[in-house]
Amino acid sequence: MLQMDLAWEDKASNLTKAESFFDQLPADTDLWILPEMFSSGFTNSVKTMGEEMDGSTIQQLKTWAAQKDIAICCSLIIRENNQYYNRFVFVYPNGNVVHYDKAHLFPFGEEDQNYVSGSEKILINYKGWQIFPQVCYDLRFPVWSRNTMNYDVCIYVASWPAPRDHVWRTLLMARAIENMCYTIGVNRVGHDGNNIDYNGQSLACDAKGQILNDLSDKECQISVSIDLKKLHNFRRTFPVLNDQDTFEIIKK
């Protein structure tokens, strides 16, 4: 989990910094998670910061993934058919890429005026794990993340401001408990061009909501191990998901 201090709208600097952390990854790393819009910061400058799915940032992620035989995920500003998306990308070691477009755009930051909302949920299969990708503001909407897809881990990449850090931690633990899954939230630190402060607090928690790492408000890289067999055993002995309510989601 890479908790970065992002340079505002400076792809080159952010890629260089990310690479310095990449070089320090433990040898047994399977998945490397970077924050929301890690190459630019959370910006509405879509025309200058957006790029295609075959653009330079995706190509760099593919190169890194191949070098260490790991998967990498983050979100990027992606341009497609003259529209812009806050897109969660998951890059496999073999170079394949799958994506999820952020469904809940943040109106207080005018994200909804500059990006197109996604409407499809996906599952990512990696090394036997079923992974459910989400982006930042999605965290506030439990029906959207309800575990009807039998996922094992939910990953949130975020630019979550410091004044709401209590909400961030509380909701990540709640999503884990109610969905009987591991939940991982990777946030940024630092100060951005919109005069917003971020204090990280990236965390991973198990299906009981227990936090698995030491929280930090500094730029850092955090390694966490999660156990699929342990998760499945817990679900068998305490099968809460069998009794969950059903909902119909109607996107606006």
Side-chain angles (χ1 to χ4, degrees), residues 33 91 106 181 207:
I33 309 172
V91 181
F106 191 58
C181 70

Side-chain angles (χ1 to χ4, degrees), residues 127-130 152 182 226-233:
K127 293 195 171 185
W129 290 80
Q130 297 297 320
D152 304 305
Y182 287 102
I226 55 178
D227 188 322
L228 188 60
K229 183 178 180 180
K230 182 178 179 180
L231 173 66
H232 288 175
N233 285 340

